[in-house]
Amino acid sequence: MSGKAILVLVDGTIYRGDSFGAATTTFGEIIFITSMTGYQEMLTDPSFAGQIVVPTYPLIGNYGINFDDVESAKIQVRGFVVREYCPVPSNRRSRGTVEEYLRRANIPGLSGIDTRSLTRHIRSRGVMMGILTSDLTTSEALHELKQLPSYGDTDFVKEVSVKEAFEWTPAHEQQRYEHNIIIVDMGLRFNIARILSRLGCRVTVVPCTLSSLDILAMEPDGIVLSPGPGNPALLDYAIENIKGLLGKKPILGICLGHQLIGRAFGADTFKLKFGHRGANHPVCDLATGKVHITSQNHGYAIDTDSLKGGLQVSHTNLNDGTIEGLKHSAMPIISIQYHAEGSPGPQDNTYIFDRFLQMVKEENRK
């Protein structure tokens, strides 16, 4: 541990605890996540860019850090706030501690605070900006915070997207592919590419700014619009590119990709009070009537009343009734708001990739 640190929220609420990881100052939107495991996946999930993440599970770090359970090439969160940090992990796969992992990436952590109180505060007041610091006083932090941009006014997608296209290379060096799939990277979680590769796809990841003409010139059999961070209303460049792809090739949108499909057809999006983040959100698949327990990580949703252009609701959230999936009445387009690739133990939600590839096969036969 490095000493003391504080978390100051923009409404003046202060939490004091112990610093771990990097002894520095950071700011971001304060959000909570209810998953009981998967803190390494949380830390490396690009959808958390610009955010300070608060797991509600009270003990973090007990199984350490390994080289496999990552969802991107680096830590993406701006800060990490926990109830109790375990400095001595015990797991056969562990290759280090969370504190070492954070320190190498210059990301600060805070432990020893009442994360239940913080979670209840966010549920009551809504997500808000905050500063995590071991350098500033509370008054200095609050003054600094009020000068900083809000989360919803920043385009984080361009920060996390790849700059150049690359082909995803599976570990088993598969040589024969059934389908050529393009993933538009707006904050790609690696497991999407892993699953598609395992299902026999040649996967190429391209930047979020690549034009629809350039994407189609790569002759894909299907296109995946990845998850990602931030406010979908800021992403006009991505929406215009998606419009150029509609009806040309089968499309699967996931999380942010789902929201952008909605906006490409003229629907509106809105900010949720405290988001959906965790591994136990019930979603009903209207096509089958089945209820799936899903992994989720998003702060925005599509306005049901604004749907148009042939989009139909395919999945709903059983907690609050928000849209969890879309399909088009005529075009080969489907989308989900949740993370089918999340696989928090169970992997039953990967059925959506089978559904997408079946759509690809049917289009190829035409």
Side-chain angles (χ1 to χ4, degrees):
M1 296 294 184
S2 304
K4 297 298 181 180
I6 56 174
L7 177 67
V8 180
L9 277 56
V10 73
D11 68 354
T13 306
I14 300 169
Y15 293 88
R16 304 176 188 273
D18 299 310
S19 170
F20 73 104
T24 186
T25 296
T26 191
F27 74 97
E29 185 178 58
I30 312 296
I31 58 92
F32 67 86
I33 182 169
T34 60
S35 298
M36 296 176 66
T37 60
Y39 53 77
Q40 187 169 349
E41 291 90 336
M42 296 176 201
L43 292 171
T44 56
D45 184 347
S47 293
F48 282 128
Q51 295 175 321
I52 297 173
V53 176
V54 184
T56 59
Y57 190 72
L59 179 63
I60 298 296
N62 52 309
Y63 56 84
I65 294 292
N66 62 66
F67 302 133
D68 301 316
D69 296 341
V70 295
E71 289 295 347
S72 68
K74 66 177 184 177
I75 294 179
Q76 302 284 354
V77 306
R78 286 199 174 163
F80 201 42
V81 177
V82 305
R83 174 67 185 93
E84 180 182 351
Y85 165 66
C86 176
V88 185
S90 177
N91 187 282
R92 63 181 178 82
R93 299 171 68 223
S94 177
R95 296 296 182 268
T97 67
V98 171
E99 178 166 30
E100 293 166 344
Y101 196 48
L102 292 173
R103 189 183 298 124
R104 285 196 298 270
N106 198 37
I107 303 296
L110 176 67
S111 71
I113 75 160
D114 187 348
T115 50
R116 183 171 63 174
S117 169
L118 176 55
T119 299
R120 288 172 64 89
H121 186 74
I122 294 171
R123 283 182 60 89
S124 174
R125 303 288 185 86
V127 294
M128 64 186 75
M129 297 296 289
I131 278 188
L132 196 170
T133 181
S134 55
D135 304 320
L136 305 177
T137 66
T138 55
S139 58
E140 289 172 338
L142 190 56
H143 174 76
E144 180 74 13
L145 186 56
K146 290 181 177 180
Q147 316 304 314
L148 295 170
S150 69
Y151 176 81
D153 294 334
T154 304
D155 179 0
F156 293 102
V157 168
K158 287 183 178 178
E159 293 183 15
V160 300
S161 179
V162 294
K163 307 308 178 188
E164 296 182 0
F166 71 93
E167 184 173 341
W168 179 268
T169 304
H172 54 279
E173 296 292 344
Q174 183 176 335
Q175 296 299 313
R176 298 184 64 184
Y177 302 100
E178 187 174 358
H179 305 295
N180 179 28
I181 302 298
I182 300 294
I183 300 178
V184 181
D185 179 16
M186 294 175 290
L188 172 66
R189 287 168 55 104
F190 281 173
N191 211 35
I192 295 173
R194 295 185 189 113
I195 291 170
L196 288 170
S197 178
R198 190 168 66 241
L199 291 173
C201 300
R202 177 189 178 188
V203 178
T204 304
V205 181
V206 303
C208 64
T209 54
L210 193 66
S211 73
S212 57
L213 290 176
D214 288 336
I215 292 172
L216 294 173
M218 300 173 74
E219 299 184 345
D221 296 313
I223 298 165
V224 175
L225 306 176
S226 86
N231 184 356
L234 301 180
L235 308 178
D236 287 345
Y237 60 91
I239 293 168
E240 287 304 310
N241 283 337
I242 292 170
K243 288 179 179 179
L245 300 172
L246 299 177
K248 305 290 179 57
K249 297 290 180 179
I251 297 175
L252 167 64
I254 302 175
C255 201
L256 179 62
H258 155 85
Q259 296 163 13
L260 294 180
I261 286 175
R263 292 191 68 89
F265 278 99
D268 298 323
T269 50
F270 65 95
K271 189 172 179 63
L272 296 163
K273 184 175 182 180
F274 46 80
H276 297 160
R277 298 179 179 93
N280 60 348
H281 292 255
V283 168
C284 182
D285 181 351
L286 300 182
T288 63
K290 290 183 178 179
V291 176
H292 298 276
I293 303 303
T294 66
S295 291
Q296 304 210 7
N297 178 14
H298 59 274
Y300 295 83
I302 295 175
D303 179 7
T304 305
D305 294 334
S306 69
L307 284 183
K308 59 187 71 172
L311 286 181
Q312 302 172 347
V313 177
S314 62
H315 298 70
T316 58
N317 187 301
L318 296 184
N319 285 336
D320 61 9
T322 52
I323 297 174
E324 289 284 354
L326 295 169
K327 64 179 180 179
H328 196 271
S329 59
M331 300 179 190
I333 299 170
I334 58 174
S335 67
I336 52 170
Q337 177 64 82
Y338 58 93
H339 288 277
E341 80 287 352
S343 306
Q347 300 184 29
D348 48 313
N349 287 313
T350 57
Y351 76 91
I352 201 70
F353 294 102
D354 296 323
R355 191 174 290 182
F356 168 61
L357 294 180
Q358 181 60 38
M359 189 169 66
V360 169
K361 290 177 183 178
E362 292 172 358
E363 287 298 309
N364 283 344
R365 286 197 291 264
K366 291 181 178 179

